[in-house]
């Protein structure tokens, strides 16, 4: 691709970040602490939660086992196999928990949010709301946005929990490591604040990014079948890339 | 201001509207008196829905004015538009029911949103409107379970539920069986008389137009080709109006979207 083509792409990327930021402000300005809005937020939270819970917990369990397996094979050569729990927990809490949860959430719940909003646009449901003097951003977009922002850190914490359980089962049931040693090494190495909380902080940022990308793609989708399809694909691509870039930035800042 | 203007409810004055390069409405003017049922007719793609969108303030004219009930719609702020739209009932071309709400909740939504009425009153309002369109038995169905014609009737009930001052119907008869056409026709007439509101409908259905409306206009090529009572239109001698009213394929009204000559396109 030519230099000017690349330049055009960069320009495009920057201007969509700008538009996304403006849309974010617009959404936030629609926050009402009304009972109805909170009811709708809870309903959406239930949707995104139930949609992504199974896939996230299953993945977490196997990621935990694999980390246990890899960690054990390496550590046992140095006679340090009892540290496997600590190594797994550090990797999970700091990196894999937040990042994998975010990627899975974008693929499962982010795409549905984009598709739902895009479809409402294509079938004139958003127009119908506007014509009834009901703000579609306040009514449709904001509850989904808040639900995603809340769901991602909670799901990340659950991911961490289940992955630790997976590695525990592997280490203790399979390799017969002493379970007391497994937990006590983990406890002495992992710091709640520096490791667990910093991972959750990351996941909050990832949640905001995925939420804004998903609702933006849906709301500004071309109002056709193809437009909705493009919006869902773009949701996965853009949020994954942004999560991975931000992961590096945040790690550099938080360390 | 003369006495004619005071009774006008909707006035589009010399409106120009473009989509990209294409001019859709070119110096378009239309007046609908208070309390009238008016029809906008014309071939597909001529800009009938566009006229409705100008009236609702969804789009703004490039030049000209859109005045409804003495207020200039194209200069309203978002807040004013919101106030204005609370007095409108709109039935969109493809019904646009909310897919994750039941029929009952679809019709109840504007009431819940804009009033503080207790549930018993809301229920009475919703059931009355659904009864009028013959769908009181369908309250628990979801839009995906409705036929196209049923969906249009629910959309009609939803448009009327707050007793608006002005109702806009985009092709209300499309997809309806003959009985439902007659029902909807009567209903439009009835609510217009009973509530003293003004109604504008877009339709291709010349027969229903003749039975229903007080006045109609035919749009051809971005302008009003003819306007007046149904009888005026049936009697109109100009070839483009005759062609439309009598449904003839050949005549001055173009059937084709603007294009190069077929032979040029095929040889290109
Ligand atoms: N959102 C849009 N973007 C671009 N062109 C449009 C759009 N909506 C309508 N048009 C064009 O404007 C013309 C008038 O459309 P419309 O008012 O919907 O016609 P109709 O008389 O059938 O209701 C059509 O030819 C259509 O191609
Ligand atoms: Mg139309």
């Amino acid at each position: 691709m030519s230099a000017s083509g690349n330049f055009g792409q960069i320009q495009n990327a920057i201007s969509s970040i700008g538009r996304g930021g403006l849309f974010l402000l617009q959404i936030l300005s629609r926050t009402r602490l009304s009972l109805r809005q909170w009811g709708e937020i809870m309903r959406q939270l239930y949707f995104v939660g139930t949609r992504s819970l199974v896939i996230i917990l299953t993945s977490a369990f196997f990621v935990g086992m694999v980390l246990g397996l890899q960690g054990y094979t390496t550590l046992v050569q140095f006679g340090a196999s009892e540290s496997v729990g600590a190594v797994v927990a550090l990797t999970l809490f700091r990196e894999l928990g937040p990042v994998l949860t975010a990627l899975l959430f974008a693929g499962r719940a982010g795409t549905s949010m984009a598709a739902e909003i895009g479809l409402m646009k294509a079938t004139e449901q958003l127009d119908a709301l506007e014509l009834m003097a009901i703000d579609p951003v306040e009514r449709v977009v904001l509850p989904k946005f808040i639900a995603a922002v809340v769901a991602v850190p909670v799901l990340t914490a659950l991911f961490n929990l289940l992955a630790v359980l997976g590695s525990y089962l592997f280490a203790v049931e399979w390799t017969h490591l002493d379970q007391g040693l497994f937990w006590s090494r983990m406890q002495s190495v992992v710091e709640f604040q520096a490791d667990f909380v910093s991972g959750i902080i990351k996941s909050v940022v990832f949640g905001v990014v995925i939420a804004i990308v998903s609702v933006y793609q849906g709301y500004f989708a071309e109002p056709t079948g193809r437009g909705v399809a493009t919006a869902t694909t773009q949701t996965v691509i853009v949020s994954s890339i942004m999560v991975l870039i931000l992961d590096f930035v945040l790690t550099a800042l938080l360390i | 201001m003369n006495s004619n203007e005071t009774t006008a409810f909707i006035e589009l004055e010399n409106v120009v509207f473009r989509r990209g390069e294409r001019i859709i409405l070119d110096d378009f003017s239309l007046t609908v008196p208070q309390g009238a049922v008016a029809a906008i007719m014309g071939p597909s793609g001529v800009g009938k829905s566009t006229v409705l969108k100008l009236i609702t303030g969804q789009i703004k004219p490039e030049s000209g004015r859109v005045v409804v009930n003495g207020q200039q719609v194209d200069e309203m702020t978002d807040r004013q538009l919101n106030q204005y739209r609370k007095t409108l009932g709109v039935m969109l071309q493809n019904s646009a029911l909310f897919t994750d709400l039941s029929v009952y909740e679809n019709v109840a939504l504007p009431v819940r949103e804009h009033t503080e009425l207790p549930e018993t009153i809301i229920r009475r309002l919703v059931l009355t409107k659904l009864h009028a369109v013959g769908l009181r038995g369908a309250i628990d169905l979801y839009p995906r379970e409705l036929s196209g014609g049923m969906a249009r009737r629910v959309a009609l009930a939803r448009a009327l539920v707050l007793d608006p001052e002005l109702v806009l119907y985009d092709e209300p008869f499309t997809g309806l069986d003959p009985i439902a056409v007659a029902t909807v026709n009567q209903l439009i007439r009835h609510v217009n008389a009973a509530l003293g509101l003004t109604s504008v409908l877009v339709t291709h259905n010349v027969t229903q137009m003749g039975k229903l409306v007080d006045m109609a206009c035919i749009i051809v090529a971005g302008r009003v080709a003819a306007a007046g009572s149904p009888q005026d239109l049936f009697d109109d001698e100009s070839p483009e109006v005759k062609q439309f009213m009598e449904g003839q394929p050949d005549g001055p009204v173009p059937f084709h979207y603007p294009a190069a000559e077929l032979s040029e396109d095929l040889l290109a």
Side-chain angles (χ1 to χ4, degrees):
Chain A
M1 190 173 275
S2 70
S4 71
N6 282 333
F7 182 68
Q9 276 191 339
I10 292 170
Q11 227 178 1
N12 249 338
I14 291 175
S15 70
S16 32
I17 289 175
R19 285 195 302 271
L22 286 178
F23 192 48
L24 179 62
L25 292 180
Q26 194 190 346
I27 294 172
L28 294 178
S29 75
R30 299 306 200 279
T31 318
R32 314 266 177 274
L33 294 170
S34 70
L35 215 57
R36 175 187 291 154
Q37 197 168 59
W38 282 102
E40 184 59 21
I41 291 172
M42 295 315 287
R43 218 170 68 92
Q44 292 299 329
L45 194 56
Y46 173 79
F47 280 147
V48 291
T50 46
R51 259 177 209 155
S52 35
L53 200 58
V54 171
I55 173 178
I56 283 177
L57 294 188
T58 315
S59 312
F61 190 70
F62 283 95
V63 167
M65 296 223 289
V66 132
L67 286 178
L69 175 58
Q70 292 280 16
Y72 182 81
T73 349
T74 313
L75 288 169
V76 81
Q77 298 172 30
F78 304 99
S81 58
E82 70 281 359
S83 294
V84 66
V87 170
V88 167
L90 282 184
T91 327
L92 273 173
F93 294 175
R94 287 166 164 239
E95 284 301 332
L96 288 185
V99 171
L100 288 181
T101 307
L103 296 181
L104 290 168
F105 185 86
R108 183 65 190 85
T111 49
S112 322
M113 295 199 305
E116 278 171 15
I117 297 176
L119 206 63
M120 286 187 79
K121 183 175 187 191
T123 54
E124 294 189 323
Q125 293 178 51
L126 297 185
D127 285 330
L129 282 175
E130 255 183 340
L131 290 173
M132 291 174 189
I134 301 174
D135 180 358
V137 172
E138 179 181 333
R139 182 42 85 87
V140 176
V141 175
L142 182 121
K144 292 191 198 302
F145 174 84
I146 304 271
V149 171
V150 174
V152 173
V154 174
L155 290 167
T156 301
L158 288 173
F159 185 103
N160 288 344
L161 189 74
L162 223 71
V164 166
L165 198 69
S167 72
Y168 167 84
L169 282 182
F170 173 80
V172 173
E173 296 299 322
W174 193 320
T175 70
H176 303 296
L177 191 76
D178 181 66
Q179 59 159 308
L181 267 180
F182 179 90
W183 291 124
S184 66
R185 291 297 294 161
M186 191 189 294
Q187 231 173 12
S188 64
V189 173
V190 177
E191 285 176 43
F192 181 74
Q193 188 73 23
D195 302 318
F196 188 80
V197 173
S198 78
I200 296 297
I201 292 175
K202 275 185 180 179
S203 75
V204 170
V205 177
F206 296 164
V208 173
V209 166
I210 297 169
I212 189 67
V213 168
S214 312
V215 297
Y216 178 90
Q217 291 292 341
Y219 196 76
F220 293 103
E222 191 196 314
T224 61
R226 182 198 293 225
V228 176
T230 310
T232 53
T233 317
Q234 283 294 104
T235 297
V236 176
I237 296 174
V238 176
S239 28
S240 303
I241 291 176
M242 289 191 68
V243 162
L244 294 172
I245 293 176
L246 280 171
D247 184 42
F248 175 75
V249 175
L250 288 172
T251 308
L253 289 177
L254 287 168
I255 265 179
Chain B
M1 208 187 274
N2 65 37
S3 64
N4 248 348
E5 272 172 42
T6 54
T7 59
F9 198 75
I10 302 174
E11 284 182 285
L12 279 82
E13 287 172 10
N14 311 102
V15 165
V16 176
F17 182 79
R18 262 178 240 271
R19 293 276 189 194
E21 291 290 287
R22 249 182 89 219
I23 192 147
I24 308 290
L25 298 175
D26 186 6
D27 200 23
F28 178 91
S29 297
L30 172 71
T31 305
V32 179
Q34 164 105 45
V37 179
I40 299 175
M41 299 198 295
S44 303
V46 79
K48 303 182 297 295
S49 300
T50 305
V51 172
L52 295 189
K53 286 197 173 106
L54 284 161
I55 296 175
T56 59
Q58 286 166 287
I59 54 178
K60 293 190 192 314
E62 185 179 300
S63 64
R65 300 187 333 139
V66 179
V67 180
V68 177
N69 200 9
Q71 298 168 282
Q72 191 166 346
V73 177
D74 52 296
E75 291 198 333
M76 286 182 180
T77 62
D78 283 354
R79 185 177 296 256
Q80 289 170 324
L81 263 182
N82 256 348
Q83 282 310 113
Y84 164 62
R85 284 176 182 163
K86 286 179 193 172
T87 67
L88 291 186
V90 184
M91 180 174 162
L92 288 169
Q93 201 165 347
N94 58 21
S95 302
L97 298 179
F98 302 115
T99 37
D100 51 357
L101 297 182
S102 67
V103 164
Y104 179 88
E105 287 302 328
N106 259 284
V107 181
L109 182 71
V111 191
R112 293 194 197 290
E113 185 70 26
H114 296 309
T115 70
E116 301 288 326
L117 295 173
E119 192 57 37
T120 48
I121 309 271
I122 295 181
R123 194 174 168 80
R124 192 174 307 162
L125 263 176
V126 171
L127 291 183
T128 314
K129 299 295 173 186
L130 280 171
H131 183 74
V133 296
L135 289 176
R136 190 165 45 83
I139 50 172
D140 293 325
L141 298 183
Y142 277 80
R144 63 173 177 279
E145 302 169 292
L146 304 176
S147 72
M150 289 162 85
R152 300 205 67 61
R153 281 142 72 194
V154 176
L156 180 59
R158 186 176 69 178
L160 295 175
V161 72
L162 278 181
D163 294 344
E165 292 170 18
L166 170 62
V167 196
L168 308 173
Y169 308 88
D170 202 344
E171 307 201 5
F173 304 119
T174 311
L176 297 185
D177 61 71
I179 301 174
V181 166
T183 316
V184 168
N185 189 329
Q186 270 183 3
L187 197 69
I188 293 176
R189 195 69 255 182
H190 174 75
V191 293
N192 199 77
L195 303 174
L197 45 79
T198 306
S199 312
V200 178
L201 60 140
V202 164
T203 183
H204 298 291
N205 194 325
V206 175
T207 324
Q208 293 306 318
M209 184 281 292
K211 289 186 195 162
L212 175 60
V213 306
D214 303 308
M215 59 163 292
C217 77
I218 299 180
I219 310 179
V220 176
R223 288 165 184 266
V224 176
S229 71
Q231 202 52 53
D232 292 342
L233 296 186
F234 284 117
D235 294 343
D236 199 296
E237 287 300 323
S238 77
E240 48 197 18
V241 176
K242 261 191 124 54
Q243 184 199 347
F244 187 82
M245 299 298 288
E246 291 166 14
Q248 295 156 347
D250 292 314
V253 179
F255 168 68
H256 292 283
Y257 188 90
E261 285 295 314
L262 181 62
S263 57
E264 283 175 36
D265 269 355
L266 292 180
L267 294 174

